[in-house]
Amino acid sequence: QSALTQPASVPGSPGQSITISCTGTSSDVGAFDYVSWYQQHPGRAPKLMIYDVTKRPSGVSNRFSGSKSGNTASLTISGLQAEDEADYYCISYTSSSTLWVFGGGTKLTVL
Amino acid sequence: EVQVVESGGGLVQPGGSLRLSCAASGFTFSSYAMSWVRQAPGKGLEWVSAISGSGASTYYADSVKGRFTISRDNSKNTVYVQMNSLRAEDTAIYYCAKALLHWGAFDIWGRGTMVTVSS
């Protein structure tokens, strides 16, 4: 069982917006602004999409945005495109000795 | 180009050992913490281990503590993980990842190297 809770799957249609949640605790998501999101296509390495809750690395589309409220972080993808279909993982820095906790991943399906 | 490239994966019997390497280029290697993250077939990501830029501090997931040892050679821009007493559940793709300066995220990932533990 993963330390951070994500929905197993989220459906979306081209052009729509979807939000993926990532729920942790006051020791990780709620304690630090160090939540990051990763996109992983089948057979590929994860790619950083959002870091420090809201920041986008250079080259990542502005259709991707992040936010946080309390112990829950969220990734929003607007203007869904077929290429957005992938698995998405959240990671948070934590005060425990393990340093980071991972979400179980969310499969985004673009119908 | 900033990149990390893993090597050393393969098939090993239960109880055996393997050493993975991760060669980095395109950035000041000694300034950044590095980490290993694994993904079992069809499963999600699992953090395995991390090491500070100087190598003075190391961290491990409970699932590998006492069996895996992470190290780095800053003169060779390479990080290693020595994996001993391997179990079937260690079977996974092992990714090497570079951490941001504040350790809050992983911005560079390698393509991974597959480790299969089976008799």
Side-chain angles (χ1 to χ4, degrees):
Chain A
Q1 187 170 355
S2 302
L4 303 180
T5 301
Q6 298 181 234
S9 63
V10 169
S13 299
Q16 288 187 334
S17 294
I18 63 94
T19 297
I20 299 172
S21 61
C22 170
T23 302
T25 71
S26 57
S27 296
D28 39 66
V29 175
F32 304 97
D33 286 336
Y34 290 154
V35 176
S36 51
W37 291 89
Y38 303 80
Q39 176 192 66
Q40 187 181 36
H41 287 109
R44 303 291 297 273
K47 175 186 176 184
L48 179 64
M49 306 301 285
I50 295 287
Y51 68 99
D52 294 358
V53 178
T54 61
K55 298 176 182 176
R56 266 190 319 274
S58 174
V60 171
S61 171
N62 59 10
R63 297 186 298 106
F64 291 81
S65 62
S67 62
K68 188 183 84 167
S69 177
N71 296 337
T72 299
S74 300
L75 171 71
T76 298
I77 309 173
S78 59
L80 271 179
Q81 300 178 0
E83 68 213 45
D84 298 331
E85 185 164 291
D87 293 326
Y88 291 84
Y89 295 89
C90 61
I91 297 176
S92 175
Y93 189 80
T94 174
S95 58
S96 78
S97 61
T98 57
L99 296 188
W100 294 281
V101 288
F102 283 43
T106 298
K107 184 175 183 59
L108 170 62
T109 303
V110 181
L111 304 169
Chain B
E1 180 189 5
V2 178
Q3 64 175 357
V4 296
V5 179
E6 306 91 338
S7 61
L11 174 64
V12 61
Q13 292 187 339
S17 298
L18 209 57
R19 188 178 83 154
L20 306 183
S21 300
C22 169
S25 59
F27 61 97
T28 306
F29 182 68
S30 60
S31 294
Y32 295 91
M34 300 293 294
S35 190
W36 290 94
V37 177
R38 68 185 180 184
Q39 187 170 36
K43 302 297 184 182
L45 301 173
E46 178 189 15
W47 175 72
V48 173
S49 183
I51 186 167
S52 62
S54 67
S57 299
T58 58
Y59 307 86
Y60 299 94
D62 289 342
S63 57
V64 307
K65 200 171 294 182
R67 300 188 299 123
F68 289 15
T69 302
I70 192 170
S71 61
R72 65 191 294 160
D73 184 338
N74 286 344
S75 68
K76 296 183 178 179
N77 287 0
T78 301
V79 61
Y80 308 94
V81 61
Q82 176 68 42
M83 306 186 295
N84 298 331
S85 303
L86 283 163
R87 307 165 180 167
E89 53 264 37
D90 294 318
T91 295
I93 297 172
Y94 284 73
Y95 294 103
C96 173
K98 168 187 167 291
L100 293 176
L101 273 175
H102 58 34
W103 293 57
F106 304 108
D107 60 338
I108 304 297
W109 296 67
R111 292 184 177 183
T113 186
M114 183 70 200
V115 172
T116 303
V117 184
S118 175
S119 54

